[in-house]
Amino acid sequence: MDTISKETELVYYRKLVLATLDYHEKTGFIKGEYLDQLKAQTEEHFTKSRLSKLKQWFKDLSEVFIEQLDFGFNDFLQDETGYDVNVFEAYFTRVDKVIAKGKITTDNQFYDLKNAADLAVQSNLFDIKKTEQLNKLLFDYENKKQSRTKKPI
């Protein structure tokens, strides 16, 4: 498989972050001076070659649209950037990997699965078996986390 240069990835994620910020403005989530500040910071991260920061920003800024299953967001990204990107594919791939592993190991995985379970209830997105697996993994992770935080009296 061909390796992608850091410069190519920087351009890719810069475009995605800026397009995502434009979508936030279009939908009214982020606007005004704060939006301008975020765009300026995006450019700074780009010029300072902060690829990991741009990747994280894209993930964080996209989350609200993924949670809402706003498929218009995906179309907007494709139209604005010209990239064949599918933010929902990456999200569902992450969910499927955790289900296949049979264990939630991080808070990020927990939140991904929690959102997937919510989506499953709202839209019958998954079959009953997959929904039950999601719920069991969430229950197990919450119990494990609670048992770690409980202190003996």
Side-chain angles (χ1 to χ4, degrees):
M1 181 174 196
D2 293 335
T3 57
I4 300 171
S5 72
K6 183 175 182 179
E7 293 78 24
T8 302
E9 277 193 283
L10 280 164
V11 169
Y12 178 80
Y13 280 99
R14 176 183 162 268
K15 283 185 178 180
L16 287 175
V17 169
L18 290 173
T20 302
L21 288 169
D22 288 343
Y23 197 73
H24 272 277
E25 181 178 38
K26 178 182 173 185
T27 57
F29 280 108
I30 302 173
K31 52 188 170 187
E33 189 176 319
Y34 183 58
L35 179 73
D36 296 337
Q37 290 172 358
L38 291 174
K39 287 183 177 185
Q41 287 177 352
T42 299
E43 294 298 344
E44 180 182 342
H45 295 321
F46 175 74
T47 44
K48 292 186 176 180
S49 296
R50 296 178 183 150
L51 180 58
S52 60
K53 184 67 88 173
L54 290 173
K55 285 181 176 183
Q56 188 62 49
W57 274 33
F58 178 63
K59 181 181 183 293
D60 293 345
L61 290 166
S62 301
E63 189 173 333
V64 66
F65 305 119
I66 294 168
E67 288 175 4
Q68 295 176 353
L69 278 183
D70 182 348
F71 294 108
F73 170 60
N74 203 76
D75 295 338
F76 183 86
L77 285 179
Q78 290 179 355
D79 292 344
E80 291 296 306
T81 65
Y83 297 141
D84 185 18
V85 63
N86 184 342
V87 294
F88 301 103
E89 181 180 3
Y91 171 73
F92 289 116
T93 298
R94 287 194 313 270
V95 168
D96 288 341
K97 283 182 182 179
V98 175
I99 292 171
K101 186 171 61 170
K103 183 178 181 181
I104 299 172
T105 56
T106 67
D107 286 343
N108 282 344
Q109 290 175 352
F110 173 79
Y111 294 122
D112 280 345
L113 266 68
K114 185 175 184 316
N115 291 334
D118 291 344
L119 292 172
V121 169
Q122 294 170 12
S123 62
N124 294 323
L125 191 63
F126 304 121
D127 62 28
I128 292 172
K129 182 180 177 188
K130 193 170 194 175
T131 302
E132 288 173 351
Q133 288 175 307
L134 284 169
N135 288 326
K136 181 183 181 331
L137 291 170
L138 291 167
F139 180 79
D140 291 347
Y141 185 76
E142 285 179 321
N143 281 341
K144 182 179 175 184
K145 199 164 186 171
Q146 284 178 359
S147 68
R148 278 189 259 148
T149 58
K150 289 183 180 176
K151 297 181 181 177
I153 299 176

